[in-house]
Structures are given as C-alpha cells and as structure tokens.
Amino acid sequence: MNFAFNKNKTILSSLGLILTAAIWGFAFVVVKDSLSYIGPVWMIAFRFTIAVIVLSLAFIKHFKNFNLKYLAHGAVLGILIFFAYFFQTVGCKYTTAGKNAFLTTTYVILVPLISWPLYKKRPEWFVFLAAIMCMAGIAFLSLGGESASFSSEKPWYYMNAGDLFTLISGLFYGIHIICISHYSQKEDPILLTILQFAFTDFCAWCVSPFYDGAFPLEAFKNFRVMASLLYLGLFSTMLAYLLQNVALKYVPSALGSLFMSLESVFGVLFSALFLHEALGLRMYLGCSLIFGAIVLTEVFPSLLKKQS
C-alpha cells in the first residue's frame, strides 16, 4: 500500500515537472507576442510584481525567518535574475521564440564550467563533450544569419543581437543557479525566492522608464497584454517555481532534470504551432545538439553513480 502511494506521488510529480516545462515553454510564445505591445523591462516589472504579491500573501509565515543575511542574499540573487530575464526578454525581441528557448538552456552546460574555478572541482569528461555539442548547436542555430537552410547571405561568423543577448542571459542563469544552490543549503528556499523576486522587481521598475520609456498605460487597455502578464506572473513565475520545488522531492534527480530540460522542446513546439515559426534543417540540427548536450550533462552523472 505504501509502495503504491509512493509510486503515485512519483508519477504525479513527474507529470508536475512536465507541466512546469510546458508552462515555461509556452512563456516564450507569450513573451514574443507581448513584445509587440509592451517594452521588455516593463514586462519583467509587471510579471514579478504579480508573483511577489501573491507569493508574499501565500507564504507570509516564512517572513519570521527574515534577517539581514536573507536580505543580502536575496539582493544578489535578484540582481542576477534581473539581468538574466533582461537579456532573455530583450533577446526574444530580436530573435525567434524557439531559438530563444533553446539558447537560454545553455546555462545547464555553463554551470559546471563556471563552478570549476570557483570550487576547484574539475568537471567530468562528459561535461566537455556536452560543451562541444552545445557550441556546435549554437553555431547551427545562430551563426550565418536567419536562414533556415545552410545557404545564407551573411558571413558564417555573423550572429544577430537577439541570439547574443539570449546567450548572455544563459550565463546569468548559470551564475544564479550556483549562488542559489549555495545559499539554499542553510536558508529557507521559499523566503529566498520571494526576496529574490522582490529585488528583481525593484531593478525592473528602476530600469524600465530609462530603457522602455514612459509607463505603458495604453497596454493595460489591451486584454491580450493583461492576459499575458497574468500568465507570466501567476503561471510562468509563481506556479512553475512552486511545482518545480515540490515535485523534485519525489522524482529522481536524473529523471527530474530530463523533464525540466523539455522546456526548450516545448518552446520550439509552441513557437511553431502558435507563432508559425519555420523549422528548417539548421534549426533541427542545432536544437538536437543542444538538447543532447543538456541530457548528457544532467542525466549522465546519475547513471554513472548507479553503476558505481
């Protein structure tokens, strides 16, 4: 009976992680569509305002643990997340939503490489193989212009601004993961999440008037924009993070990582379905190489541990 109960929890948690990946994958479509009506930094400001308010009300008891250390760590994480979302959202404005989804996930390969000089721990051989695969995938996706085939009027080394900004966002996501992994070992992850979201929101409200211009009052008269912001704030930012935190308790790390990496696959799928983005041979090859690199980095370590 207990075995069946645990098995059901694992199945439900696995479905929860797949749902999380789908929510994040569809968010790339929502962001791309909404950028026609609202500036990228204003979008970040509103989505995080919604998430912070709802999370704070739902988990107000966690504020009893608040102290200056939480404030400092929340500030560091919030600033990192702001720059990650800033470059990702601005990047989405100048590239396709599908490419934005896959190029963002390169942070998975960057994390062990960034950790190497910080913790003096050399990555395993498969991380370097994954890095080579990832770079090849990036080359297929981004170098040589927007042509879906191998023929292009641009030189082979050309990369548009959107793809470059997205890759920079992946770097900030990678640094953020390293920092939050360190902080959350001894601190309340829910309070840390609320505080980092609050600082991200603060940064966005400070930057948006300078980057995007005046408050986008007209955008709030557009039902499509309001629905998009609610989706990004309630589902993509708040619900997805809660689903991820709960579900990962009951799913093996290798399987959980694989489910989460489906975010990029859903991003491309939804982009093709809803935005009618073309998927040429270069796109298929690039996405396959990057996804293979993600799976290699996330799943292979657990498989090696089981064998040993």
Side-chain angles (χ1 to χ4, degrees):
M1 184 73 177
N2 191 39
F3 171 75
F5 178 70
N6 289 333
K7 185 178 180 181
N8 288 335
K9 282 199 298 186
T10 301
I11 292 172
L12 288 173
S13 297
S14 298
L15 292 174
L17 289 175
I18 295 173
L19 177 60
T20 300
I23 289 171
W24 279 337
F26 187 66
F28 289 98
V29 175
V30 174
V31 168
K32 183 68 176 179
D33 179 69
S34 301
L35 286 170
S36 302
Y37 308 96
I38 189 171
V41 191
W42 280 120
M43 186 189 300
I44 297 170
F46 293 127
R47 72 182 288 181
F48 277 94
T49 295
I50 294 168
V52 168
I53 291 173
V54 178
L55 276 176
S56 298
L57 293 174
F59 299 101
I60 194 168
K61 292 182 179 179
H62 287 259
F63 280 92
K64 66 183 180 181
N65 299 320
F66 178 82
N67 56 40
L68 290 178
K69 185 168 69 173
Y70 273 99
L71 188 67
H73 292 170
V76 171
L77 295 172
I79 292 169
L80 288 171
I81 279 289
F82 168 73
F83 280 112
Y85 272 94
F86 173 81
F87 283 109
Q88 181 189 50
T89 309
V90 173
C92 193
K93 188 175 183 179
Y94 300 107
T95 190
T96 65
K99 288 168 69 176
N100 192 244
F102 257 96
L103 293 174
T104 297
T105 54
T106 55
Y107 69 83
V108 174
I109 291 90
L110 289 172
V111 168
L113 296 176
I114 297 170
S115 300
W116 184 5
L118 291 176
Y119 298 107
K120 304 296 188 290
K121 186 177 179 181
R122 187 178 184 275
E124 299 288 344
W125 63 268
F126 52 82
V127 174
F128 295 101
L129 176 59
I132 294 171
M133 290 172 61
C134 186
M135 286 189 289
I138 291 169
F140 280 126
L141 278 182
S142 302
L143 298 183
E146 296 297 320
S147 175
S149 64
F150 286 96
S151 58
S152 175
E153 296 179 357
K154 303 287 186 180
W156 67 267
Y157 52 82
Y158 171 84
M159 177 181 289
N160 74 42
D163 294 345
L164 180 60
F165 287 158
T166 306
L167 289 172
I168 294 172
S169 80
L171 177 62
F172 279 103
Y173 278 122
I175 298 172
H176 172 265
I177 288 173
I178 293 169
C179 290
I180 200 168
S181 298
H182 177 69
Y183 295 152
S184 60
Q185 290 179 6
K186 297 181 180 180
E187 297 175 21
D188 180 358
I190 292 179
L191 179 56
L192 209 55
T193 299
I194 295 172
L195 289 173
Q196 71 171 345
F197 283 1
F199 275 100
T200 302
D201 192 36
F202 175 75
C203 291
W205 278 97
C206 290
V207 173
S208 51
F210 299 98
Y211 187 86
D212 289 333
F215 187 84
L217 188 60
E218 287 297 318
F220 285 90
K221 299 177 183 178
N222 189 321
F223 174 79
R224 191 168 186 164
V225 174
M226 293 303 298
S228 297
L229 291 175
L230 286 172
Y231 177 86
L232 293 172
L234 295 177
F235 291 92
S236 183
T237 306
M238 189 195 74
L239 178 62
Y241 275 98
L242 289 177
L243 275 174
Q244 179 190 35
N245 292 340
V246 173
L248 285 175
K249 291 182 179 180
Y250 306 105
V251 177
S253 58
L255 191 59
S257 299
L258 181 60
F259 287 147
M260 296 306 300
S261 65
L262 291 174
E263 171 192 357
S264 54
V265 178
F266 280 119
V268 170
L269 177 63
F270 291 143
S271 300
L273 288 175
F274 295 100
L275 300 178
H276 309 293
E277 292 181 356
L279 299 177
L281 180 58
R282 281 179 55 181
M283 187 79 173
Y284 282 116
L285 285 173
C287 291
S288 298
L289 283 166
I290 292 175
F291 186 70
I294 293 168
V295 172
L296 184 62
T297 305
E298 293 283 9
V299 179
F300 204 70
S302 298
L303 295 177
L304 288 179
K305 286 181 182 178
K306 286 183 179 180
Q307 291 178 356
S308 60

